Amino acid sequence: VGVTGLAMLALLGAKDSAEDAEERAVAVERAARWLLTTFDEEGILGGRTGHGFLYDHGIATYALCAALAERDVPSLRAGAERAAQT
């Protein structure tokens, strides 16, 4: 979860050619869709696994919010809000 969030942030921060923008957008969308499937019943992204779960949750939350700033999608907004409230 944390590594996916970091990858999303790297992709969102990349400003290469316009040709690469569409490919990056697809990768960010796929990553965001996957992250949104990892919520546990308490609203933690990836669940409470391992001792670093809060770092994973925090990074993934930041990535979802950054993706939302790029493109306002209802499912992404709901997921980012849920993650931020946890």
Side-chain angles (χ1 to χ4, degrees):
V1 168
V3 173
T4 299
L6 287 173
M8 281 179 64
L9 290 169
L11 290 167
L12 288 165
K15 302 296 181 199
D16 297 334
S17 66
E19 298 167 350
D20 295 335
E22 185 176 333
E23 190 174 329
R24 280 194 315 274
V26 169
V28 168
E29 182 182 337
R30 288 181 64 202
R33 269 190 280 136
W34 179 79
L35 281 177
L36 294 174
T37 68
T38 68
F39 279 107
D40 71 1
E41 63 279 349
E42 296 176 327
I44 302 290
L45 287 161
R48 294 178 183 264
T49 56
H51 62 279
F53 75 91
L54 282 178
Y55 292 104
D56 290 340
H57 177 78
I59 291 166
T61 300
Y62 181 47
L64 289 175
C65 291
L68 179 62
E70 291 277 321
R71 187 166 173 225
D72 194 354
V73 178
S75 60
L76 188 56
R77 176 172 292 284
E81 288 176 354
R82 181 178 181 195
Q85 291 173 355
T86 303

